[in-house]
Amino acid sequence: MALNFIWLAMIVLGVCYAGFTGQIDLISPAAFAAAEQSVGILLEMAGILGLWLGLLNLAEKSGFVDMLAKVLYPIAAFLFPDIPRKDPAMGAIVMNMSANLLGLGNAATPFGIKAMEEMARLNGHSPVASNSMITFLVLNTSSVTLIPATVIGLRTKAGALNAVDIVLPTFLATVIGCTAGLLAERILRKWFS
Amino acid sequence: MAALYGISQWMIPLILVVIPLWAWFKQVSVYDCFVEGAAEGVKTAIRIFPYILGMLVAIGIFRGSGALAALTDLVSPVLGKIGFPAEVLPLAVIRPLSGSGALGVTAELINAYGPDSFIGHLASVMQGSTDTTFYILAVYFGAVGIKKYRHALWVGLTADCVGFLTAIFICHLFFPLS
């Protein structure tokens, strides 16, 4: 299990490296600072998840998601052939895709987790990831976006001549990265059953 | 293009007003419905918390010990040969691991080399074109109790690597003399 291995490797390598370089005193503060920081993230996450999932509920109950789903359905149906059109999973996926496209990172995560929950239900709550889940993950880790808002903000603050000149290059890089990921998923799925 | 940034600033306020208003016209009891959804969000946050904690502590140790910087120094001569500037390498290493860490490195690079330098442009494109793969993996799969990730990690890292290499290539095309 790759993530178990990477998790362990980061800790072991970190502690050993600090030990060999005579800086073992760096480890405990780093570990506890990270643990503390995670509580801050929990509080922030709870607020942001609450806000966006509250809005998602409004968007679902009022039929807003259905309208959006109609527009994005051709792409979603191509990427997720296993998911029925009217399923709540499709609604959450479509909302997540829209949030990513618009560069709303903190909205994309709540919709993404919601989509995962719906896909887990379709998958009979199996502990094994489905192909749709992995496809969905690629869309999110490569974050196809039209407006990289955070970076534009950083560049503006730093006094860039043209803060948005990176929009098209970013879009191209993200689309090509995402396509590569989707192709890799199609190829590798046979080997990992 | 400047309009694009204007749009992005208007986006969230618009969403905040359009969705509830639309729901109101559709006879939804807006406040009750919002609270119902929000309750689910808070529960989800608590459920994913242990995964965030576990990831952050491991990454914190790896970074705080200096091992991450050592790894970066080790691989930069190799990557320098494919036109990958050594200055940007820490960003490529940290981008899949830590979102806040990557943002910090990007801000540092932009401030140190200038937003209109080649490095400033490349860091911006790299930051914007990929996401925190490990974190997303741990949180999304953690939230629904997935234990067997299958090929998810490899696929995610493939997308990251191709995205980074494309970013370098595209920046050489778009910003050759900067």
Side-chain angles (χ1 to χ4, degrees), chain A residues 1 3 7 14 17 34 38 45 50 54 57 61-62 113-114 117 127 129 131 134 137-138 141-142 147 152 155 161 164-165 172 181 185 192, chain B residues 1 5 8 15 22 33-34 36 38 40 44 47-49 53-54 56 65 115-116 121 124 129 131 137 147-151 155 159 170:
Chain A
M1 185 58 227
L3 206 62
W7 186 79
Y17 184 82
S38 70
M45 275 291 251
N57 205 26
K61 297 271 156 69
S62 62
I113 291 170
K114 177 88 176 152
E117 285 168 350
N131 291 333
I134 298 175
L137 218 83
V138 175
T141 61
S142 55
I147 307 170
I152 295 174
R155 296 177 57 76
L161 290 174
V164 290
D165 60 356
L172 293 174
E185 195 281 319
F192 294 82
Chain B
M1 273 305 206
Y5 190 48
S8 86
I15 291 170
W22 174 268
C33 183
F34 175 86
E36 187 187 290
E40 210 181 310
T44 304
R47 200 169 56 235
I48 62 179
F49 171 66
L53 172 70
L56 284 184
S65 66
D116 297 309
H121 277 127
S124 305
S129 64
D131 212 317
L137 203 74
K147 302 283 180 239
K148 290 199 82 159
Y149 292 17
R150 295 174 63 214
H151 48 310
V155 168
I170 287 177

Short mmCIF file of all heavy atoms in Angstrom, two decimals, chain A residues 1 3 7 14 17 34 38 45 50 54 57 61-62 113-114 117 127 129 131 134 137-138 141-142 147 152 155 161 164-165 172 181 185 192, chain B residues 1 5 8 15 22 33-34 36 38 40 44 47-49 53-54 56 65 115-116 121 124 129 131 137 147-151 155 159 170:
data_model
loop_
_atom_site.label_atom_id
_atom_site.label_comp_id
_atom_site.label_asym_id
_atom_site.label_seq_id
_atom_site.Cartn_x
_atom_site.Cartn_y
_atom_site.Cartn_z
N MET A 1 0.85 -1.20 0.00
CA MET A 1 0.00 0.00 0.00
C MET A 1 0.88 1.24 0.00
O MET A 1 1.56 1.55 0.99
CB MET A 1 -0.87 -0.10 1.26
CG MET A 1 -1.89 0.98 1.39
SD MET A 1 -2.97 0.97 -0.02
CE MET A 1 -2.92 2.68 -0.37
N LEU A 3 0.59 4.50 0.02
CA LEU A 3 0.50 5.66 0.91
C LEU A 3 1.01 5.33 2.31
O LEU A 3 1.65 6.16 2.96
CB LEU A 3 -0.94 6.17 0.97
CG LEU A 3 -1.10 7.65 1.31
CD1 LEU A 3 -0.44 8.54 0.26
CD2 LEU A 3 -2.54 8.03 1.47
N TRP A 7 4.04 7.42 3.92
CA TRP A 7 3.82 8.06 5.23
C TRP A 7 4.93 7.66 6.20
O TRP A 7 5.55 8.50 6.85
CB TRP A 7 2.44 7.62 5.76
CG TRP A 7 2.02 8.30 7.01
CD1 TRP A 7 1.49 9.55 7.13
CD2 TRP A 7 2.08 7.78 8.35
NE1 TRP A 7 1.23 9.85 8.43
CE2 TRP A 7 1.58 8.78 9.21
CE3 TRP A 7 2.51 6.56 8.90
CZ2 TRP A 7 1.49 8.59 10.60
CZ3 TRP A 7 2.42 6.39 10.27
CH2 TRP A 7 1.92 7.40 11.10
N GLY A 14 12.87 11.55 7.99
CA GLY A 14 12.98 12.84 8.69
C GLY A 14 13.74 12.69 9.99
O GLY A 14 14.70 13.42 10.26
N TYR A 17 17.42 11.64 9.35
CA TYR A 17 18.21 12.74 8.80
C TYR A 17 18.60 13.74 9.89
O TYR A 17 19.75 14.14 10.01
CB TYR A 17 17.45 13.45 7.68
CG TYR A 17 18.25 14.54 7.01
CD1 TYR A 17 19.17 14.23 6.01
CD2 TYR A 17 18.11 15.87 7.39
CE1 TYR A 17 19.92 15.21 5.41
CE2 TYR A 17 18.86 16.87 6.79
CZ TYR A 17 19.76 16.53 5.80
OH TYR A 17 20.52 17.51 5.21
N ALA A 34 2.84 20.68 13.65
CA ALA A 34 1.96 20.16 12.60
C ALA A 34 0.66 19.65 13.21
O ALA A 34 -0.42 19.88 12.66
CB ALA A 34 2.66 19.05 11.83
N SER A 38 -3.09 21.17 12.46
CA SER A 38 -4.19 20.40 11.90
C SER A 38 -5.51 20.74 12.58
O SER A 38 -6.57 20.65 11.96
CB SER A 38 -3.90 18.90 12.00
OG SER A 38 -3.96 18.48 13.34
N MET A 45 -11.90 24.06 8.10
CA MET A 45 -12.59 23.12 7.21
C MET A 45 -14.06 23.00 7.60
O MET A 45 -14.94 22.97 6.74
CB MET A 45 -11.97 21.73 7.32
CG MET A 45 -10.78 21.49 6.44
SD MET A 45 -11.29 21.44 4.74
CE MET A 45 -11.07 19.71 4.42
N GLY A 50 -19.20 23.52 5.96
CA GLY A 50 -20.57 23.83 6.36
C GLY A 50 -21.20 24.84 5.42
O GLY A 50 -22.31 24.65 4.93
N GLY A 54 -24.04 23.73 2.81
CA GLY A 54 -25.33 24.39 3.01
C GLY A 54 -25.83 24.96 1.69
O GLY A 54 -26.99 24.77 1.31
N ASN A 57 -26.92 22.20 -0.69
CA ASN A 57 -28.25 21.69 -0.38
C ASN A 57 -29.32 22.59 -1.00
O ASN A 57 -30.29 22.11 -1.58
CB ASN A 57 -28.42 21.60 1.15
CG ASN A 57 -29.46 20.56 1.54
OD1 ASN A 57 -29.70 19.61 0.80
ND2 ASN A 57 -30.09 20.76 2.69
N LYS A 61 -31.95 21.32 -3.84
CA LYS A 61 -33.39 21.32 -3.61
C LYS A 61 -34.12 22.25 -4.57
O LYS A 61 -35.30 22.07 -4.84
CB LYS A 61 -33.69 21.76 -2.16
CG LYS A 61 -33.14 20.80 -1.10
CD LYS A 61 -34.12 19.70 -0.76
CE LYS A 61 -33.41 18.48 -0.19
NZ LYS A 61 -32.84 18.71 1.14
N SER A 62 -33.42 23.27 -5.09
CA SER A 62 -34.10 24.23 -5.95
C SER A 62 -33.94 23.89 -7.43
O SER A 62 -34.41 24.61 -8.29
CB SER A 62 -33.55 25.63 -5.69
OG SER A 62 -32.18 25.67 -6.01
N ILE A 113 -15.80 15.89 -1.72
CA ILE A 113 -16.01 14.89 -0.67
C ILE A 113 -17.43 14.33 -0.76
O ILE A 113 -17.66 13.13 -0.65
CB ILE A 113 -15.72 15.49 0.72
CG1 ILE A 113 -14.22 15.76 0.84
CG2 ILE A 113 -16.18 14.55 1.83
CD1 ILE A 113 -13.84 16.56 2.06
N LYS A 114 -18.36 15.21 -1.02
CA LYS A 114 -19.76 14.80 -1.21
C LYS A 114 -19.87 13.81 -2.38
O LYS A 114 -20.53 12.77 -2.27
CB LYS A 114 -20.60 16.06 -1.48
CG LYS A 114 -22.04 15.82 -1.75
CD LYS A 114 -22.84 15.79 -0.47
CE LYS A 114 -24.33 15.64 -0.80
NZ LYS A 114 -25.05 14.97 0.27
N GLU A 117 -18.62 10.46 -1.36
CA GLU A 117 -19.60 9.75 -0.52
C GLU A 117 -20.67 9.10 -1.39
O GLU A 117 -21.06 7.95 -1.16
CB GLU A 117 -20.23 10.71 0.50
CG GLU A 117 -19.28 11.06 1.64
CD GLU A 117 -19.75 12.22 2.51
OE1 GLU A 117 -20.73 12.90 2.12
OE2 GLU A 117 -19.13 12.45 3.57
N PRO A 127 -14.36 -1.14 0.49
CA PRO A 127 -13.11 -0.45 0.85
C PRO A 127 -12.15 -0.31 -0.32
O PRO A 127 -11.07 0.25 -0.17
CB PRO A 127 -12.53 -1.33 1.95
CG PRO A 127 -13.10 -2.68 1.70
CD PRO A 127 -14.44 -2.49 1.06
N ALA A 129 -11.19 1.23 -4.00
CA ALA A 129 -11.53 2.37 -4.85
C ALA A 129 -12.08 1.90 -6.18
O ALA A 129 -11.58 0.94 -6.77
CB ALA A 129 -10.30 3.25 -5.06
N ASN A 131 -13.14 2.62 -10.34
CA ASN A 131 -12.53 3.37 -11.45
C ASN A 131 -13.04 4.81 -11.49
O ASN A 131 -12.27 5.73 -11.72
CB ASN A 131 -12.83 2.68 -12.79
CG ASN A 131 -12.10 1.36 -12.92
OD1 ASN A 131 -11.05 1.16 -12.31
ND2 ASN A 131 -12.66 0.45 -13.70
N ILE A 134 -11.27 7.01 -8.98
CA ILE A 134 -9.89 7.37 -9.34
C ILE A 134 -9.90 8.41 -10.47
O ILE A 134 -9.13 9.37 -10.43
CB ILE A 134 -9.07 6.11 -9.69
CG1 ILE A 134 -9.01 5.21 -8.45
CG2 ILE A 134 -7.67 6.48 -10.16
CD1 ILE A 134 -8.35 3.88 -8.67
N LEU A 137 -10.60 11.60 -8.86
CA LEU A 137 -9.43 12.09 -8.14
C LEU A 137 -8.45 12.80 -9.08
O LEU A 137 -7.89 13.83 -8.74
CB LEU A 137 -8.74 10.91 -7.46
CG LEU A 137 -8.17 11.23 -6.11
CD1 LEU A 137 -9.25 11.13 -5.07
CD2 LEU A 137 -7.06 10.28 -5.78
N VAL A 138 -8.26 12.22 -10.28
CA VAL A 138 -7.36 12.85 -11.25
C VAL A 138 -7.85 14.25 -11.62
O VAL A 138 -7.08 15.20 -11.67
CB VAL A 138 -7.24 11.99 -12.54
CG1 VAL A 138 -6.42 12.72 -13.59
CG2 VAL A 138 -6.63 10.66 -12.23
N THR A 141 -6.80 16.38 -8.57
CA THR A 141 -5.39 16.62 -8.29
C THR A 141 -4.76 17.44 -9.42
O THR A 141 -3.79 18.16 -9.18
CB THR A 141 -4.57 15.32 -8.10
OG1 THR A 141 -4.64 14.56 -9.29
CG2 THR A 141 -5.10 14.52 -6.95
N SER A 142 -5.30 17.35 -10.63
CA SER A 142 -4.74 18.18 -11.70
C SER A 142 -5.51 19.49 -11.82
O SER A 142 -5.11 20.36 -12.59
CB SER A 142 -4.73 17.43 -13.02
OG SER A 142 -6.02 16.98 -13.33
N ILE A 147 -9.52 30.08 -13.99
CA ILE A 147 -9.09 31.27 -13.25
C ILE A 147 -8.28 30.85 -12.03
O ILE A 147 -8.84 30.54 -10.98
CB ILE A 147 -10.30 32.11 -12.78
CG1 ILE A 147 -11.20 32.42 -13.98
CG2 ILE A 147 -9.83 33.39 -12.13
CD1 ILE A 147 -12.53 33.03 -13.59
N ILE A 152 -3.05 34.59 -9.21
CA ILE A 152 -3.26 35.94 -9.74
C ILE A 152 -3.16 36.96 -8.60
O ILE A 152 -2.53 38.01 -8.74
CB ILE A 152 -4.63 36.04 -10.45
CG1 ILE A 152 -4.64 35.13 -11.67
CG2 ILE A 152 -4.90 37.48 -10.87
CD1 ILE A 152 -6.00 35.04 -12.36
N ARG A 155 0.50 37.43 -7.62
CA ARG A 155 1.24 38.20 -8.63
C ARG A 155 0.85 39.68 -8.58
O ARG A 155 1.69 40.55 -8.76
CB ARG A 155 1.00 37.62 -10.02
CG ARG A 155 1.54 36.21 -10.19
CD ARG A 155 1.22 35.62 -11.54
NE ARG A 155 1.73 36.44 -12.63
CZ ARG A 155 2.99 36.49 -12.98
NH1 ARG A 155 3.87 35.77 -12.34
NH2 ARG A 155 3.38 37.26 -13.97
N LEU A 161 3.60 43.23 -13.96
CA LEU A 161 3.17 44.10 -15.05
C LEU A 161 1.81 43.67 -15.54
O LEU A 161 0.92 44.47 -15.80
CB LEU A 161 4.17 44.04 -16.21
CG LEU A 161 5.53 44.67 -15.96
CD1 LEU A 161 6.46 44.42 -17.14
CD2 LEU A 161 5.37 46.18 -15.71
N VAL A 164 -2.21 38.56 -15.00
CA VAL A 164 -2.99 37.45 -15.55
C VAL A 164 -2.35 36.83 -16.79
O VAL A 164 -2.96 36.01 -17.46
CB VAL A 164 -4.44 37.89 -15.87
CG1 VAL A 164 -5.21 38.12 -14.59
CG2 VAL A 164 -4.46 39.12 -16.73
N ASP A 165 -1.09 37.20 -17.10
CA ASP A 165 -0.46 36.62 -18.29
C ASP A 165 -0.18 35.12 -18.13
O ASP A 165 0.17 34.44 -19.08
CB ASP A 165 0.83 37.36 -18.68
CG ASP A 165 1.88 37.33 -17.56
OD1 ASP A 165 1.57 36.81 -16.47
OD2 ASP A 165 2.98 37.85 -17.78
N LEU A 172 -3.30 25.52 -20.21
CA LEU A 172 -2.72 24.50 -21.09
C LEU A 172 -2.01 23.42 -20.29
O LEU A 172 -2.21 22.22 -20.53
CB LEU A 172 -1.74 25.15 -22.08
CG LEU A 172 -2.37 26.09 -23.11
CD1 LEU A 172 -1.29 26.78 -23.93
CD2 LEU A 172 -3.31 25.31 -24.03
N GLY A 181 -3.08 12.07 -16.92
CA GLY A 181 -3.58 11.32 -15.78
C GLY A 181 -4.75 10.42 -16.16
O GLY A 181 -4.80 9.25 -15.75
N GLU A 185 -4.88 6.40 -16.09
CA GLU A 185 -5.92 5.68 -15.34
C GLU A 185 -6.49 4.56 -16.20
O GLU A 185 -6.62 3.42 -15.76
CB GLU A 185 -7.01 6.67 -14.91
CG GLU A 185 -7.95 6.12 -13.84
CD GLU A 185 -9.00 5.19 -14.39
OE1 GLU A 185 -9.56 5.47 -15.47
OE2 GLU A 185 -9.25 4.15 -13.75
N PHE A 192 -4.53 -3.13 -11.71
CA PHE A 192 -4.87 -3.00 -10.29
C PHE A 192 -6.34 -3.33 -10.11
O PHE A 192 -7.18 -2.46 -10.15
CB PHE A 192 -4.62 -1.58 -9.81
CG PHE A 192 -3.19 -1.15 -9.82
CD1 PHE A 192 -2.59 -0.69 -10.98
CD2 PHE A 192 -2.44 -1.18 -8.66
CE1 PHE A 192 -1.27 -0.28 -10.99
CE2 PHE A 192 -1.12 -0.76 -8.66
CZ PHE A 192 -0.53 -0.32 -9.83
N MET B 1 -8.09 40.32 -20.38
CA MET B 1 -7.53 39.42 -19.38
C MET B 1 -7.72 39.96 -17.96
O MET B 1 -8.03 39.22 -17.05
CB MET B 1 -6.04 39.21 -19.62
CG MET B 1 -5.74 38.08 -20.60
SD MET B 1 -6.47 36.50 -20.17
CE MET B 1 -5.36 35.37 -20.98
N TYR B 5 -9.78 38.66 -13.81
CA TYR B 5 -9.54 38.77 -12.36
C TYR B 5 -10.72 39.45 -11.69
O TYR B 5 -11.13 39.07 -10.60
CB TYR B 5 -8.24 39.54 -12.10
CG TYR B 5 -7.83 39.48 -10.65
CD1 TYR B 5 -7.82 38.27 -9.97
CD2 TYR B 5 -7.49 40.64 -9.95
CE1 TYR B 5 -7.46 38.20 -8.64
CE2 TYR B 5 -7.13 40.58 -8.61
CZ TYR B 5 -7.11 39.36 -7.97
OH TYR B 5 -6.77 39.30 -6.65
N SER B 8 -13.30 36.95 -11.20
CA SER B 8 -13.04 36.01 -10.11
C SER B 8 -13.33 36.64 -8.75
O SER B 8 -13.70 35.96 -7.81
CB SER B 8 -11.62 35.47 -10.19
OG SER B 8 -10.72 36.33 -9.54
N ILE B 15 -22.39 33.95 -6.24
CA ILE B 15 -22.92 32.63 -5.87
C ILE B 15 -23.72 32.74 -4.57
O ILE B 15 -24.81 32.17 -4.44
CB ILE B 15 -21.77 31.62 -5.72
CG1 ILE B 15 -21.16 31.33 -7.09
CG2 ILE B 15 -22.26 30.32 -5.08
CD1 ILE B 15 -19.87 30.54 -7.02
N TRP B 22 -32.52 32.11 -5.83
CA TRP B 22 -33.16 31.16 -6.74
C TRP B 22 -33.99 30.14 -5.96
O TRP B 22 -35.14 29.86 -6.30
CB TRP B 22 -32.06 30.44 -7.55
CG TRP B 22 -32.54 29.34 -8.41
CD1 TRP B 22 -32.63 28.02 -8.09
CD2 TRP B 22 -33.01 29.44 -9.76
NE1 TRP B 22 -33.12 27.30 -9.13
CE2 TRP B 22 -33.36 28.15 -10.18
CE3 TRP B 22 -33.17 30.52 -10.65
CZ2 TRP B 22 -33.86 27.88 -11.45
CZ3 TRP B 22 -33.66 30.24 -11.92
CH2 TRP B 22 -33.99 28.95 -12.30
N CYS B 33 -33.05 24.76 4.97
CA CYS B 33 -32.36 23.92 3.98
C CYS B 33 -30.85 24.13 4.07
O CYS B 33 -30.07 23.17 4.02
CB CYS B 33 -32.89 24.29 2.61
SG CYS B 33 -32.23 23.30 1.29
N PHE B 34 -30.43 25.39 4.25
CA PHE B 34 -29.01 25.69 4.37
C PHE B 34 -28.41 25.00 5.59
O PHE B 34 -27.38 24.36 5.54
CB PHE B 34 -28.78 27.20 4.45
CG PHE B 34 -27.35 27.58 4.69
CD1 PHE B 34 -26.47 27.72 3.62
CD2 PHE B 34 -26.86 27.78 5.98
CE1 PHE B 34 -25.15 28.06 3.83
CE2 PHE B 34 -25.53 28.11 6.20
CZ PHE B 34 -24.67 28.24 5.12
N GLU B 36 -29.47 22.42 7.23
CA GLU B 36 -29.46 20.97 7.04
C GLU B 36 -28.18 20.54 6.30
O GLU B 36 -27.50 19.59 6.71
CB GLU B 36 -30.70 20.59 6.23
CG GLU B 36 -30.96 19.12 6.06
CD GLU B 36 -32.12 18.92 5.09
OE1 GLU B 36 -33.27 19.24 5.47
OE2 GLU B 36 -31.88 18.45 3.96
N ALA B 38 -25.39 22.36 6.04
CA ALA B 38 -24.22 22.76 6.81
C ALA B 38 -23.89 21.73 7.89
O ALA B 38 -22.72 21.45 8.16
CB ALA B 38 -24.45 24.13 7.44
N GLU B 40 -24.19 18.61 7.75
CA GLU B 40 -23.45 17.51 7.12
C GLU B 40 -21.98 17.89 6.92
O GLU B 40 -21.09 17.07 7.11
CB GLU B 40 -24.10 17.23 5.77
CG GLU B 40 -24.00 15.81 5.33
CD GLU B 40 -24.66 15.65 3.98
OE1 GLU B 40 -25.82 16.12 3.83
OE2 GLU B 40 -24.03 15.10 3.09
N THR B 44 -18.63 15.95 8.30
CA THR B 44 -17.58 15.51 7.36
C THR B 44 -16.22 16.01 7.81
O THR B 44 -15.24 15.26 7.78
CB THR B 44 -17.89 16.02 5.94
OG1 THR B 44 -19.17 15.57 5.57
CG2 THR B 44 -16.86 15.51 4.95
N ARG B 47 -14.88 13.85 10.46
CA ARG B 47 -14.51 12.52 9.96
C ARG B 47 -13.16 12.53 9.23
O ARG B 47 -12.39 11.59 9.32
CB ARG B 47 -15.61 11.98 9.07
CG ARG B 47 -15.53 10.46 8.94
CD ARG B 47 -16.77 9.89 8.27
NE ARG B 47 -16.99 10.49 6.98
CZ ARG B 47 -18.12 11.08 6.61
NH1 ARG B 47 -19.12 11.18 7.45
NH2 ARG B 47 -18.24 11.60 5.42
N ILE B 48 -12.86 13.61 8.50
CA ILE B 48 -11.60 13.63 7.75
C ILE B 48 -10.43 14.14 8.59
O ILE B 48 -9.28 14.03 8.18
CB ILE B 48 -11.70 14.44 6.44
CG1 ILE B 48 -12.02 15.90 6.74
CG2 ILE B 48 -12.70 13.83 5.50
CD1 ILE B 48 -12.10 16.76 5.50
N PHE B 49 -10.73 14.66 9.78
CA PHE B 49 -9.66 15.25 10.59
C PHE B 49 -8.46 14.33 10.85
O PHE B 49 -7.32 14.74 10.68
CB PHE B 49 -10.24 15.78 11.92
CG PHE B 49 -9.19 16.22 12.89
CD1 PHE B 49 -8.39 17.31 12.61
CD2 PHE B 49 -8.98 15.52 14.07
CE1 PHE B 49 -7.42 17.72 13.50
CE2 PHE B 49 -8.00 15.91 14.95
CZ PHE B 49 -7.22 17.01 14.68
N LEU B 53 -4.56 15.22 10.10
CA LEU B 53 -3.55 15.21 11.17
C LEU B 53 -2.38 14.30 10.81
O LEU B 53 -1.21 14.70 10.89
CB LEU B 53 -4.20 14.74 12.48
CG LEU B 53 -3.27 14.47 13.66
CD1 LEU B 53 -2.68 15.76 14.20
CD2 LEU B 53 -3.99 13.74 14.78
N GLY B 54 -2.69 13.07 10.39
CA GLY B 54 -1.64 12.11 10.05
C GLY B 54 -0.73 12.61 8.95
O GLY B 54 0.50 12.54 9.06
N LEU B 56 -0.27 15.79 7.92
CA LEU B 56 0.47 17.00 8.29
C LEU B 56 1.65 16.69 9.19
O LEU B 56 2.72 17.28 9.06
CB LEU B 56 -0.45 18.02 8.98
CG LEU B 56 -1.41 18.78 8.07
CD1 LEU B 56 -2.17 19.81 8.88
CD2 LEU B 56 -0.69 19.44 6.92
N SER B 65 12.87 18.51 9.52
CA SER B 65 14.16 17.89 9.79
C SER B 65 15.24 18.34 8.80
O SER B 65 16.41 18.09 9.00
CB SER B 65 14.03 16.37 9.69
OG SER B 65 13.73 16.03 8.36
N PRO B 115 7.78 38.94 -10.25
CA PRO B 115 6.67 38.23 -10.88
C PRO B 115 6.83 38.12 -12.39
O PRO B 115 6.23 37.24 -13.01
CB PRO B 115 5.44 39.09 -10.53
CG PRO B 115 5.97 40.41 -10.12
CD PRO B 115 7.35 40.18 -9.59
N ASP B 116 7.63 38.98 -13.02
CA ASP B 116 7.75 38.96 -14.47
C ASP B 116 9.02 38.27 -14.96
O ASP B 116 9.30 38.27 -16.16
CB ASP B 116 7.65 40.38 -15.02
CG ASP B 116 6.29 40.99 -14.71
OD1 ASP B 116 5.28 40.33 -15.02
OD2 ASP B 116 6.24 42.09 -14.12
N HIS B 121 7.29 33.48 -13.51
CA HIS B 121 6.22 32.95 -14.35
C HIS B 121 6.08 31.44 -14.18
O HIS B 121 4.97 30.93 -14.02
CB HIS B 121 6.53 33.27 -15.83
CG HIS B 121 6.12 34.64 -16.24
ND1 HIS B 121 6.98 35.53 -16.85
CD2 HIS B 121 4.95 35.30 -16.12
CE1 HIS B 121 6.35 36.66 -17.09
NE2 HIS B 121 5.12 36.56 -16.65
N SER B 124 4.48 30.48 -10.94
CA SER B 124 3.05 30.78 -10.96
C SER B 124 2.27 29.70 -11.72
O SER B 124 1.23 29.24 -11.26
CB SER B 124 2.79 32.12 -11.64
OG SER B 124 3.53 33.14 -11.03
N SER B 129 -1.32 25.03 -11.85
CA SER B 129 -1.75 23.97 -12.75
C SER B 129 -1.80 22.58 -12.11
O SER B 129 -2.21 21.63 -12.75
CB SER B 129 -0.84 23.93 -13.99
OG SER B 129 0.46 23.60 -13.62
N ASP B 131 -2.40 20.28 -8.13
CA ASP B 131 -2.91 20.44 -6.76
C ASP B 131 -2.19 19.47 -5.82
O ASP B 131 -1.34 18.70 -6.24
CB ASP B 131 -4.42 20.24 -6.73
CG ASP B 131 -5.06 21.11 -5.65
OD1 ASP B 131 -4.51 21.17 -4.55
OD2 ASP B 131 -6.11 21.71 -5.92
N LEU B 137 -5.82 12.90 -1.93
CA LEU B 137 -5.98 11.45 -1.85
C LEU B 137 -6.36 11.02 -0.44
O LEU B 137 -7.32 10.27 -0.24
CB LEU B 137 -4.64 10.80 -2.25
CG LEU B 137 -4.68 9.39 -2.75
CD1 LEU B 137 -5.24 9.37 -4.16
CD2 LEU B 137 -3.28 8.80 -2.76
N LYS B 147 -9.74 1.74 1.64
CA LYS B 147 -8.46 1.23 2.14
C LYS B 147 -7.54 0.81 1.00
O LYS B 147 -6.32 0.86 1.10
CB LYS B 147 -8.69 0.00 3.05
CG LYS B 147 -9.59 0.28 4.23
CD LYS B 147 -8.87 1.05 5.35
CE LYS B 147 -9.81 1.31 6.51
NZ LYS B 147 -9.96 2.74 6.80
N LYS B 148 -8.13 0.34 -0.10
CA LYS B 148 -7.32 -0.08 -1.25
C LYS B 148 -7.40 1.02 -2.31
O LYS B 148 -8.44 1.20 -2.95
CB LYS B 148 -7.81 -1.42 -1.80
CG LYS B 148 -7.50 -2.58 -0.86
CD LYS B 148 -7.56 -3.90 -1.60
CE LYS B 148 -6.27 -4.18 -2.33
NZ LYS B 148 -6.12 -5.63 -2.62
N TYR B 149 -6.29 1.75 -2.48
CA TYR B 149 -6.29 2.90 -3.39
C TYR B 149 -6.09 2.48 -4.84
O TYR B 149 -6.23 3.28 -5.73
CB TYR B 149 -5.17 3.88 -3.00
CG TYR B 149 -5.35 4.58 -1.68
CD1 TYR B 149 -6.25 4.11 -0.73
CD2 TYR B 149 -4.64 5.73 -1.40
CE1 TYR B 149 -6.41 4.75 0.47
CE2 TYR B 149 -4.80 6.40 -0.20
CZ TYR B 149 -5.68 5.90 0.74
OH TYR B 149 -5.83 6.55 1.93
N ARG B 150 -5.70 1.21 -5.05
CA ARG B 150 -5.38 0.72 -6.40
C ARG B 150 -4.36 1.65 -7.05
O ARG B 150 -3.36 1.99 -6.45
CB ARG B 150 -6.65 0.56 -7.22
CG ARG B 150 -7.57 -0.53 -6.63
CD ARG B 150 -8.89 -0.62 -7.32
NE ARG B 150 -8.75 -1.00 -8.73
CZ ARG B 150 -9.55 -0.54 -9.69
NH1 ARG B 150 -10.52 0.30 -9.41
NH2 ARG B 150 -9.39 -0.95 -10.93
N HIS B 151 -4.64 2.08 -8.31
CA HIS B 151 -3.63 2.86 -9.02
C HIS B 151 -3.75 4.36 -8.79
O HIS B 151 -3.09 5.15 -9.46
CB HIS B 151 -3.70 2.56 -10.51
CG HIS B 151 -5.10 2.60 -11.08
ND1 HIS B 151 -6.15 1.93 -10.52
CD2 HIS B 151 -5.60 3.24 -12.15
CE1 HIS B 151 -7.24 2.15 -11.24
NE2 HIS B 151 -6.94 2.94 -12.21
N VAL B 155 -1.53 7.36 -10.74
CA VAL B 155 -2.22 8.18 -11.73
C VAL B 155 -2.12 9.66 -11.35
O VAL B 155 -1.84 10.52 -12.20
CB VAL B 155 -3.70 7.72 -11.82
CG1 VAL B 155 -4.52 8.70 -12.61
CG2 VAL B 155 -3.78 6.34 -12.44
N ALA B 159 -0.14 12.67 -13.49
CA ALA B 159 -0.73 13.96 -13.88
C ALA B 159 0.15 15.11 -13.40
O ALA B 159 0.37 16.08 -14.13
CB ALA B 159 -2.14 14.08 -13.32
N ILE B 170 5.89 25.10 -21.78
CA ILE B 170 5.00 26.22 -22.15
C ILE B 170 5.61 27.56 -21.73
O ILE B 170 5.52 28.54 -22.46
CB ILE B 170 3.61 26.00 -21.55
CG1 ILE B 170 2.91 24.87 -22.31
CG2 ILE B 170 2.77 27.27 -21.63
CD1 ILE B 170 1.55 24.51 -21.78
#
